[in-house]
Amino acid sequence: MDHRSVSFRRRWLASATSLVIVGLPWLAQADVTFQYEAPAIAPETASGFTDKPGWATERFAVAAANPLATDAGYQILKAGGSAVDAAIAVQMVLTLVEPQSSGIGGGAFLMHYDGSDVAAYDGRETAPRAVRESLFLDGDGEPLAFLEAAASGLSVGVPGTVRMLEMAHERHGKLPWRELFIPAITLAEEGFEVSPRLHTSLAAEERLRDDPLGGAFYYDDQGEPLAAGAQLRNPALGAVLREIAEHGSKAMHTGAIAEDLVQRVQNHPRRPGAISLEDMATYVAKERAPLCTDWQAYRVCGFPPPSSGHLTIMQILGMLEHLPGVDEVLVDDHPSEEWLHQFLEASRLAFADRGMYIADPDFVDPPGGSWESLLNPSYLASRAELIGEESMGPDAAKPGRPSGQDAAWAIQPAQPEYGTSHISVIDEEGNAVAMTTTIEAAFGSRMLADGGTGLAGGYLLNNELTDFSFRPLDADGTPIANRVEPGKRPRSSMSPTLVFDRESDELVASLGSPGGAAIIHYTAKTLVAMLDWGLNAQEALNLPHAITLGGPAYVEEGRFPAELIDALNARGHEVSERELTSGLQAIQRTEEGFFGGADPRREGVVMGD
Ligand code: GLU
């Protein structure tokens, strides 16, 4: 990657004169050590499938969904930053260059390995204090249409990404917090090229044009989206990031930036939301006990509830272990029909348990008092016995009784989810990060906030609360575990994953993906492909996808032969083809160092030395 040779300090001081609202005392100080050079990047093709080479590195590696973001992490690592430092720089650049997927207006889960211990940091959004469980019901008690709920003030949760990153940085950071913002601030103020994917996302988006700030910033007077390759500056975001760089998360959660967020949500023209200044000020990131599960020769560590990711992935992988072996798992460049059948059946059963049991652990007790009950080998063996040669068919899988007792909950029906980004980093000292980060749907709640700066641009507010069940009760009046409650975190599918060798304890891989509930299938299949089938990270990410949330099955459009689809249908899967746009990122350890893969379906790249 070429770098324009302009030192950060020169551009920083040059741009400082044009800023109106933020004080910049520290910018003038001579103690900024990190020299950022903005890269000249030619964006690649918009969508579809772009072959990626896979990247071998020796000492460190960073993988993210956009080349400018990956490069920011790379420059931080090169300057001696830790894996968490790099992840923070990457996240701030993603807020700017991939605003449709994640940012400071959203939430994230970060898994960290420090060479001996694994930690899980929860920056999931919370529901405001003033919400009621009927948040997403209309006057007749019926659920709102998804987009109607999402593109509104109702869906906005109290953001948690900045607080969570601050917590992770306090424990694992090496470079000063404020320096990690230099790449994003520089690109926001100097400008960057709109990527093809941002362009196509803007073109496909229906509601962002209605938002006064978002419509004016991302579209022209005729409603045409910014072209791919257009230079874009985002002075409002630059100013907001300067504040957070200088004052930490309190600049986001109190004062002008928080006031602006609250005022926008509370004054949404159609459906105002309830976030208050108190909600903003009192948000806390949480450290949770990670879930680590033995599987084959590995220990797979993932995020506990409120994410359903790890539990559901490991239920699927655990059930597969109890099924008869498949003779041929790969045929040509795709998983075989026999393997896919088992994978889809295990997914049906795992998603039934997910719909019944998994929600914010601060509000909902796990079955039998422990989430591990869902992964108990004898429980999974009994679930695997339900899988035969024929599919049980759509909507036939029922939740099990992992604790041996009936559950107090009703099953949550499947709901749409989209958006999100995944970052994997391994630094020179062997610290590792797997972080999945989201504003939920593409462009979140379709509200751009300028932090009260009055400058052009800003950051997008999340619609994470639509990850709650819209209906609080089922038809019999039984409560759904993942219903809306004040202060609660909506159930997620995000699955940042770190894998270790059980014998040597060595880190083997860091991976994860966006994709809504299908994150679970994408990550589960990648684990199998890399660790059981022996594919390298890039080959594993290239494999075509097949998913089911319990209903019909979907296979990735144009990637499987018609006979295979016919054969799955003959077993009763009710298959249709659709785009399954994962955004997997994976870094694996090799004998020479690391090998990273980035999803050919998006714009991600891996960098390292
Ligand atoms: N909001 C979703 C979750 O937390 C992720 C959405 C997506 O990946 O598209 O599970």
Side-chain angles (χ1 to χ4, degrees):
M1 217 169 261
D2 294 337
H3 289 91
R4 282 183 252 147
S5 58
V6 184
S7 82
F8 154 69
R9 188 191 312 273
R10 222 167 65 221
R11 52 182 64 241
W12 184 278
L13 292 173
S15 61
T17 49
S18 60
L19 275 156
V20 263
I21 49 115
V22 283
L24 304 166
W26 62 276
L27 295 186
Q29 291 165 14
D31 60 352
V32 175
T33 50
F34 170 57
Q35 301 284 311
Y36 174 62
E37 294 185 6
I41 286 178
E44 43 179 283
T45 53
S47 51
F49 202 87
T50 310
D51 280 332
K52 307 260 162 118
W55 291 262
T57 73
E58 282 171 20
R59 293 179 292 127
F60 57 81
V62 47
N66 175 288
L68 288 167
T70 304
D71 178 78
Y74 169 74
Q75 292 196 44
I76 292 286
L77 290 173
K78 230 175 145 56
S82 68
V84 161
D85 291 339
I88 294 168
V90 168
Q91 174 67 83
M92 296 309 147
V93 174
L94 287 175
T95 309
L96 177 73
V97 301
E98 200 200 27
Q100 67 271 29
S101 295
S102 76
I104 60 172
F109 295 129
L110 187 153
M111 298 285 301
H112 187 266
Y113 174 61
D114 67 2
S116 59
D117 293 320
V118 180
Y121 297 105
D122 173 349
R124 187 70 164 167
E125 298 90 333
T126 58
R129 284 176 174 71
V131 294
R132 280 181 276 172
E133 62 180 26
S134 58
L135 183 70
F136 294 123
L137 300 180
D138 66 15
D140 299 326
E142 289 301 312
L144 296 172
F146 183 80
L147 191 56
E148 189 56 28
S152 88
L154 296 181
S155 66
V156 184
V158 182
T161 295
V162 174
R163 281 250 150 110
M164 183 276 283
L165 289 175
E166 187 174 61
M167 178 187 242
H169 183 258
E170 275 161 15
R171 299 180 191 186
H172 312 291
K174 270 174 75 188
L175 297 184
W177 167 261
R178 62 186 190 169
E179 298 196 11
L180 308 175
F181 289 73
I182 290 172
I185 293 170
T186 305
L187 294 169
E189 294 178 351
E190 297 267 324
F192 67 97
E193 274 190 29
V194 170
S195 80
R197 189 167 171 81
L198 173 53
H199 165 75
T200 46
S201 305
L202 286 167
E205 166 53 30
E206 290 167 28
R207 299 291 183 106
L208 186 59
R209 291 176 180 83
D210 301 342
D211 177 60
L213 296 191
F217 186 62
Y218 288 115
Y219 299 89
D220 70 13
D221 295 348
Q222 273 71 54
E224 291 299 316
L226 289 167
Q231 276 289 319
L232 185 65
R233 293 170 63 248
N234 188 334
L237 181 59
V240 166
L241 293 178
R242 280 175 181 261
E243 285 290 286
I244 299 172
E246 170 71 354
H247 301 292
S249 73
K250 74 173 186 297
M252 172 95 202
H253 285 266
T254 61
I257 297 170
E259 281 161 22
D260 169 72
L261 185 154
V262 165
Q263 170 268 323
R264 274 176 210 286
V265 171
Q266 291 191 358
N267 293 306
H268 189 277
R270 283 178 301 106
R271 296 187 187 276
I275 291 187
S276 66
L277 286 173
E278 192 189 0
D279 290 324
M280 286 298 290
T282 55
Y283 179 89
V284 281
K286 297 192 176 188
E287 183 176 355
R288 299 196 183 271
L291 290 171
C292 291
T293 310
D294 288 350
W295 172 71
Q296 299 191 351
Y298 304 99
R299 191 167 64 254
V300 182
C301 294
F303 221 90
S307 184
S308 61
H310 179 82
L311 288 170
T312 312
I313 289 170
M314 295 318 296
Q315 278 206 334
I316 295 170
L317 298 190
M319 279 185 252
L320 291 179
E321 293 295 288
H322 292 289
L323 292 174
V326 171
D327 290 339
E328 211 177 6
V329 288
L330 280 171
V331 179
D332 301 328
D333 54 358
H334 59 78
S336 68
E337 188 264 333
E338 209 186 342
W339 187 83
L340 287 173
H341 167 68
Q342 292 191 348
F343 181 71
L344 291 170
E345 290 301 272
S347 300
R348 292 180 189 286
L349 292 165
F351 270 78
D353 275 2
R354 172 182 178 270
M356 173 73 99
Y357 294 109
I358 305 177
D360 184 345
D362 296 339
F363 287 75
V364 166
D365 289 331
S370 164
W371 296 114
E372 299 285 351
S373 66
L374 287 161
L375 301 177
N376 184 310
S378 58
Y379 173 64
L380 292 182
S382 72
R383 296 289 277 166
E385 277 171 22
L386 302 172
I387 299 177
E389 291 299 308
E390 300 290 307
S391 173
M392 56 195 84
D395 303 319
K398 299 278 174 288
R401 297 163 84 235
S403 68
Q405 280 154 18
D406 285 339
W409 312 118
I411 305 167
Q412 176 183 341
Q415 286 173 189
E417 301 164 76
Y418 320 89
T420 308
S421 210
H422 179 78
I423 304 163
S424 278
V425 194
I426 301 178
D427 70 22
E428 204 158 0
E429 288 173 15
N431 302 300
V433 163
M435 170 174 164
T436 311
T437 173
T438 185
I439 54 170
E440 212 307 283
F443 302 102
S445 63
R446 281 74 165 183
M447 265 191 271
L448 195 67
D450 69 2
T453 61
L455 300 170
Y459 65 95
L460 284 155
L461 304 184
N462 71 83
N463 67 303
E464 214 68 53
L465 302 189
T466 58
D467 272 359
F468 283 120
S469 174
F470 281 28
R471 287 187 194 275
L473 313 171
D474 75 355
D476 302 329
T478 307
I480 289 169
N482 182 37
R483 67 190 181 284
V484 180
E485 294 181 81
K488 190 175 179 181
R489 295 174 189 219
R491 184 194 67 196
S492 172
S493 306
M494 293 193 291
S495 308
T497 303
L498 296 174
V499 187
F500 300 87
D501 184 300
R502 269 162 73 182
E503 218 166 86
S504 67
D505 275 342
E506 260 202 284
L507 178 76
V508 171
S510 164
L511 70 156
S513 180
I519 289 171
I520 288 164
H521 312 81
Y522 301 154
T523 311
K525 177 165 60 66
T526 303
L527 286 167
V528 173
M530 269 184 358
L531 302 174
D532 191 4
W533 302 344
L535 302 190
N536 73 35
Q538 191 60 57
E539 293 164 340
L541 272 46
N542 293 351
L543 284 181
H545 297 311
I547 71 162
T548 175
L549 310 184
Y554 299 101
V555 298
E556 192 172 355
E557 203 163 17
R559 305 276 322 269
F560 289 99
E563 309 81 70
L564 180 146
I565 297 175
D566 291 345
L568 286 174
N569 276 329
R571 295 201 199 223
H573 281 288
E574 297 193 12
V575 181
S576 49
E577 291 186 281
R578 60 157 66 169
E579 262 187 41
L580 291 171
T581 315
S582 55
L584 286 150
Q585 248 78 242
I587 302 173
Q588 63 187 157
R589 185 186 287 283
T590 61
E591 280 181 12
E592 298 77 34
F594 303 104
F595 189 80
D599 203 310
R601 300 160 190 85
R602 299 204 188 195
E603 294 172 336
V605 295
V606 184
M607 290 178 74
D609 282 348

